[in-house]
């Protein structure tokens, strides 16, 4: 559109220039009508030039208005981008902080895990030793009960023998008294 507008005035100005130069060379033959025509052509040319200037100014104003809107939109987009980046940063920082804490706790857990495993082994060994000693104790108690039982039987037997001996001794003197 702009190229067509600029090419029309140049064609018209060439025609006008040709007419003017032609009319200047024949100025003596020029009549009032010719002068009127050249004035009309000149005023038409000026009117076209003014119209072209007005359109150029309108287009410039529209371009400036568009540039203003583009600048405003660019600023808005920049603000939106900053907000987006601002939203992402705290989350990344928090995630990084939590990850560091997890790593730190993992480092602390490793030696504790080894200690737990060692203590579990020690506990199992102590439990086995305890159970072994407990079994040994049960066996000894069983043996003790057997021995105590045998001892009581033997003592009871001995007491019965002694009791029989006493009974025989006590019967013997009576028998002696009765026979005498």
């Amino acid at each position: 559109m702009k190229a067509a507008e600029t090419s029309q005035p140049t064609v018209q100005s060439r025609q006008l220039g040709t007419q003017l130069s032609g009319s200047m060379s024949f100025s003596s033959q020029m009549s009032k009508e010719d002068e009127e025509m050249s004035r009309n052509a000149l005023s038409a040319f000026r009117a076209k030039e003014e119209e072209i200037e007005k359109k150029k100014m309108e287009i410039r104003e529209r371009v400036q208005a568009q540039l203003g809107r583009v600048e405003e939109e660019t600023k808005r987009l920049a603000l939106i981008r900053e907000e987006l980046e601002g939203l992402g940063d705290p989350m990344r920082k928090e995630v990084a902080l939590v990850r560091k804490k997890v790593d730190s706790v993992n480092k602390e857990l490793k030696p504790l895990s080894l200690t737990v495993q060692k203590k579990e082994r020690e506990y199992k060994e102590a439990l086995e030793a305890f159970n072994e000693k407990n079994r040994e104790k049960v066996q000894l108690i069983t043996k003790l009960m057997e021995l105590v039982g045998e001892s009581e039987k033997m003592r009871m037997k001995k007491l019965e023998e002694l009791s029989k001996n006493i009974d025989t001794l006590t019967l013997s003197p009576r028998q002696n008294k009765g026979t005498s």
Side-chain angles (χ1 to χ4, degrees):
M1 181 173 159
K2 195 173 180 183
E5 289 175 359
T6 53
S7 65
Q8 276 183 347
T10 54
V11 170
Q12 288 178 349
S13 61
R14 284 184 197 150
Q15 289 173 351
L16 185 62
T18 308
Q19 287 176 357
L20 288 176
S21 63
S23 62
M24 285 185 186
S25 60
F26 298 107
S27 62
S28 57
Q29 298 170 353
M30 207 193 277
S31 66
K32 283 189 178 190
E33 287 178 13
D34 289 340
E35 277 185 40
E36 188 65 34
M37 269 179 65
S38 60
R39 280 186 198 144
N40 285 341
L42 186 57
S43 65
F45 174 75
R46 284 184 184 149
K48 283 284 184 186
E49 284 292 319
E50 286 176 17
E51 187 180 332
I52 290 170
E53 280 301 313
K54 279 184 185 178
K55 283 191 177 190
K56 278 173 62 176
M57 289 303 288
E58 285 176 15
I59 291 172
R60 263 194 202 128
E61 288 173 6
R62 285 174 49 200
V63 166
Q64 286 299 329
Q66 286 285 13
L67 285 174
R69 278 182 276 201
V70 167
E71 284 179 26
E72 287 175 25
E73 292 299 317
T74 303
K75 287 177 185 176
R76 282 185 54 219
L77 287 173
L79 286 173
I80 290 170
R81 179 185 296 155
E82 285 177 20
E83 286 179 30
L84 273 174
E85 289 173 0
L87 286 175
D89 275 344
M91 291 169 62
R92 277 188 243 143
K93 287 178 183 177
E94 288 177 29
V95 166
L97 183 64
V98 170
R99 281 185 179 157
K100 283 182 183 179
K101 286 181 180 180
V102 167
D103 289 342
S104 174
V105 169
N106 271 343
K107 286 178 185 176
E108 292 173 13
L109 278 176
K110 285 181 183 178
L112 290 174
S113 174
L114 293 174
T115 303
V116 166
Q117 289 173 357
K118 181 180 175 185
K119 297 290 183 184
E120 282 178 344
R121 275 193 305 268
E122 289 174 2
Y123 169 76
K124 286 178 183 176
E125 290 171 0
L127 184 63
E128 280 182 38
F130 173 79
N131 287 336
E132 182 64 34
K133 288 295 178 186
N134 211 17
R135 282 191 291 274
E136 187 178 335
K137 176 184 158 188
V138 168
Q139 287 174 351
L140 289 172
I141 288 174
T142 305
K143 179 84 172 173
L144 176 66
M145 295 297 278
E146 288 174 7
L147 289 175
V148 166
E150 280 181 39
S151 174
E152 285 176 0
K153 281 181 190 176
M154 287 172 66
R155 283 175 36 209
M156 285 303 279
K157 197 176 185 183
K158 198 65 158 165
L159 284 173
E160 283 177 18
E161 282 178 20
L162 287 175
S163 177
K164 280 183 186 176
N165 280 344
I166 290 176
D167 283 343
T168 45
L169 283 178
T170 47
L171 283 179
S172 295
R174 281 189 194 160
Q175 285 175 354
N176 285 340
K177 282 188 180 180
T179 52
S180 344

